[in-house]
Amino acid sequence: MEAWLDDLFWTYQNLVVSLGINGLLALSMYVVLAAGQLSLGQAAFMGLGAYSSVLMTLAWGWPFWLVLPASCVAPVAFALAVGGPTLRLSGVYLAIATIGMGEVLRAIYLNVDALGGALGLSGIPEQASPLLIYAVLAAALAVLWLVGRSGLGRAMEAMREDATAAEATGVDVRRMRLGVLVASAVLAGLAGALSAHATDFIGPNDYGFEPAVTILSFALLGGVGSPFGPVLGASVLTLLPEVFRDFANLRLVFNGIVIVLAVLFLPRGLLAWRMPRRAA
Amino acid sequence: MADAAPRRVSLLATSGLTRRYAGLVAVDGVDLTVPEGGVHALIGPNGAGKTTLFNLVSGLVAPSSGNIRFAGADITRLAADRRARLGMARTFQNIRVFGAMTLLENALTGLHPRLTSSLVGIVARLPAFRREERHAVARAREALALVGLASRAEERAAALSYGDQRRLEIARAMAGAPRLLLLDEPAAGMNPAETVALSALIRTIVGTGTTVLLVEHDMHFVMNLSDSVTVLNFGRRIFSGPPAEARADPGVIEAYLGTKVAARLAGR
């Protein structure tokens, strides 16, 4: 029985890892969408977390328990640096600006030899166990759940519904926008470090425009009424290509169709349930 | 400037407040003084600049020149949320409740500036955070009770009727016990019975110690309720004083009825 379970696990380990990583990325998207910001920098944050953590491991020989928290530093620094100028933007302008930043970073990974160029970096020790990945995902869900029920959660939803009214009510909209961007950077940075240390190879194209849109589709499909929606969306969009493995090269087409269908018929996502916004 | 300043500090005072848009001066050198306590009305014909003045006072629009003092402090450069923290709350002409949220959550949002728990306190569910949240919920329920919506606390705001959404907006604004409440056309779209109830509500609010400044078109409503009236026309202040005098002021009559009618009334 145990051997059978072991077998199944080894066969599907990649999928198990992807489910956890994509769940984290979906939450990274969720925190900005929940506050009404269409910021698409999650793949870029993930790339920064992945590349910086791999450098710490390979070049500096840091232990993984130190690498994982430190992998948030570069994404957070980047979020703080770009936050000032970009958060004056909103809607589609913010989306375009953040996609552009992702492309700039991708060009840097491609052209800096120390980062492996187009070949990427390989030989990364597989130190991120599925257990660790799911523990981080569970912790992130718990934190977002608790924060969502507090005054911060109410402020985020108020901003999403009507930023002007939220500001007049006393919500520091600018600070909150920067705050959710930093939270998004932390979650995506962790996802980047974990995935890099679960797969032994990273390359510049793992963090470009295509993954940015895929991460957005997780949250759109799942819905942003609670943090569980995006994780559900990520699970569905990660599992479906496995089920339809023969059509793997149509994955992007499929994601596009899912986004269109979700926007048309499920505007509040698969999980339309809206979490309560009070803790007492 | 200094010699013109009143000895008793007024709650709100604008001086020379101006907002220019391309080809239009929406608010033109307005001096508005609101003493602490009572109901004060801002009236004027359509396009007189009343809502722009409200937006300047609450910080949603930046002035081109002039300054604003609130409770003795210069707030001209403060963002809207900082002004809310100082005790200024407002409602909007086009209702802006948070539709997906429950009534209670809307009222709780009005208490946002009073919540001080840190991220750590929230995530660890420290006793101080839970106490604060319980206290906030109690305050939010009081605010809903004030406007008569306590029994519907768990309903979604979008499900409320127009008049009830206006009341909810007032509850959200009152939850934080503001010193100054700005009401932008609170009686708009209300039937006579609702308007009477609104007058009573505003009197109750003033009774709690909150000063009310309102913009309104319903003259009967304004004249019965207000302690003082400021009249704007084409962005300029043309009158400031008790409501009874406003009704008799030739400049005010002219602004509302046009020069011909004003001349005929004066000739009579």
Side-chain angles (χ1 to χ4, degrees), chain B residues 13 83 88 91 109 135 144 149 154 169 182 251 254 258:
Chain B
R83 298 184 196 198
M88 193 188 280
T91 66
T109 308
H135 186 65
L144 290 178
L149 289 172
E154 304 300 337
E169 224 190 355
L182 305 164
E254 192 182 308

Side-chain angles (χ1 to χ4, degrees), chain A residues 213-247:
Chain A
V213 173
T214 304
I215 295 168
L216 174 65
S217 64
F218 294 160
L220 284 183
L221 178 65
V224 293
S226 76
F228 303 109
V231 174
L232 176 68
S235 305
V236 170
L237 286 177
T238 310
L239 286 173
L240 277 182
E242 290 300 316
V243 177
F244 302 107
R245 194 184 276 274
D246 297 342
F247 310 101

Side-chain angles (χ1 to χ4, degrees), chain A residues 2-71:
Chain A
E2 217 174 79
W4 167 83
L5 205 64
D6 241 31
D7 237 30
L8 188 77
F9 179 74
W10 286 115
T11 315
Y12 287 104
Q13 190 182 3
N14 273 342
L15 187 60
V16 170
V17 165
S18 296
L19 277 170
I21 298 292
N22 288 343
L24 268 176
L25 290 170
L27 290 179
S28 161
M29 189 75 237
Y30 165 78
V31 288
V32 286
L33 284 182
Q37 292 291 97
L38 187 56
S39 156
L40 296 181
Q42 286 67 33
F45 293 143
M46 183 194 187
L48 281 169
Y51 269 95
S52 64
S53 69
V54 169
L55 283 183
M56 290 173 216
T57 299
L58 293 184
W60 303 343
W62 287 13
F64 191 60
W65 60 263
L66 186 60
V67 168
L68 189 60
S71 67

